[in-house]
Amino acid sequence: MNVTKVFGLFAAVFAIAYTIAFEWHWELFSYHPRTGEFGWGQQASKGGPVMHWYGAIATGFVAALAVSAAALPFTKTRSLPLWLGWAVPLACILVWGWLLRGFFLR
Amino acid sequence: MTTFLLIIHGLMAVALLGGLTHQAFAVLWPARATGGFTSAYRAVSAARFTNANITFYVMTFVLGAVIYPPYRIAVRTWIERARLWHISGLFEYKEQALAIGLAMLPFFWLVWRNPKDESMASARKWTTAILCVIVWYSFIAGHIVNNVRGLFGQ
């Protein structure tokens, strides 16, 4: 099996899973920078800011690895479209512009 | 220590910016003849930048992730109190775009593995251009945020 055949799929699934994880609070873990504590899932504040970025990246990577691994056997007989590797991430980056519009329209 | 790491983070970003811009120009606007500065700038062997750009991207990203908590505590809190929402938004967008760009790196490596493979020409151009824009945006946004409120600024 050629792992490189799913690199485009990996990028696409990560972009989607990361965006969903952040937006729907499906982070694998949260980090409390003031106390240096980690906690599973979406955590409430413990008297300081809570960081969800690391956890959302972890969710994205786990989802991307799982889907890529599951798709690997199918790449023996067929190729995945190359546009998956750039068009889906690009679309997600544009979606983020929409999701974050509140910062710029206040 | 955080200030030291922030400077290293910035220097690595400069190296990444240079390498990725070279590669993007070379693939999007290839030089037809060697002549002046702009032609020479584009007439590089773009594929040779691939591994260096991936390495610099990962190293810059990891360093950024390391110095993120001090930013979250000392800088972003201040920016929010000052109600500078658009500045906070600049950084928010940077972190999202960079994370998505990080996962594109294996694909970026793949499309540059054989630069003579015409079946990947379009993907090669798009991927390089997207990463180049992400890095340029992040560099400028990071600078703006740092200028508004540098780490440990009073």
Side-chain angles (χ1 to χ4, degrees):
Chain A
M1 278 185 275
N2 188 354
V3 172
T4 62
K5 286 187 174 179
V6 294
F7 281 176
L9 181 67
F10 179 87
V13 175
F14 176 89
I16 294 168
Y18 171 80
T19 303
I20 289 173
F22 226 112
E23 203 51 25
W24 293 354
H25 310 300
W26 287 356
E27 300 91 351
L28 269 185
F29 59 87
S30 303
Y31 177 63
H32 303 271
R34 208 175 285 281
T35 58
E37 287 177 53
F38 286 91
W40 288 110
Q42 171 92 354
Q43 298 251 315
S45 170
K46 292 182 178 176
V50 190
M51 297 177 69
H52 306 293
W53 187 61
Y54 305 117
I57 290 174
T59 304
F61 269 107
V62 168
L65 280 174
V67 174
S68 300
L72 205 49
F74 298 101
T75 59
K76 273 184 183 174
T77 52
R78 63 173 69 177
S79 298
L80 295 168
L82 282 173
W83 57 262
L84 276 176
W86 62 266
V88 176
L90 175 62
C92 287
I93 289 170
L94 296 176
V95 165
W96 270 110
W98 171 256
L99 293 175
L100 297 174
R101 69 192 183 285
F103 282 99
F104 306 101
L105 299 177
R106 291 188 198 197
Chain B
M1 187 62 177
T2 305
T3 306
F4 173 74
L5 292 178
L6 178 64
I7 292 168
I8 301 295
H9 174 66
L11 290 174
M12 281 188 180
V14 170
L16 172 62
L17 206 56
L20 207 46
T21 308
H22 248 311
Q23 196 169 13
F25 267 75
V27 71
L28 295 170
W29 192 23
R32 302 290 174 211
T34 52
F37 170 75
T38 54
S39 295
Y41 189 84
R42 295 178 282 136
V44 294
S45 176
R48 293 190 182 182
F49 286 79
T50 308
N51 289 343
N53 285 338
I54 290 171
T55 305
F56 276 122
Y57 192 111
V58 172
M59 288 169 71
T60 310
F61 188 93
V62 169
L63 263 181
V66 168
I67 59 175
Y68 195 1
Y71 163 82
R72 187 65 186 84
I73 294 170
V75 182
R76 186 169 154 184
T77 309
W78 183 88
I79 288 172
E80 286 172 352
R81 277 202 205 112
R83 304 178 68 81
L84 296 170
W85 303 116
H86 54 294
I87 300 295
S88 191
L90 284 177
F91 192 88
E92 285 285 316
Y93 198 53
K94 164 184 150 112
E95 68 177 7
Q96 317 306 355
L98 282 171
I100 291 171
L102 180 73
M104 289 175 72
L105 293 179
F107 185 69
F108 175 67
W109 174 83
L110 176 69
V111 294
W112 277 103
R113 188 173 55 167
N114 178 8
K116 291 190 172 26
D117 185 350
E118 281 303 311
S119 68
M120 292 194 175
S122 177
R124 192 158 43 240
K125 286 178 183 174
W126 276 103
T127 309
T128 311
I130 291 167
L131 286 174
C132 190
V133 170
I134 288 174
V135 169
W136 266 102
Y137 170 79
S138 301
F139 186 80
I140 293 168
H143 248 294
I144 291 171
V145 172
N146 191 52
N147 289 348
V148 167
R149 176 80 175 181
L151 290 173
F152 309 121
Q154 297 298 312

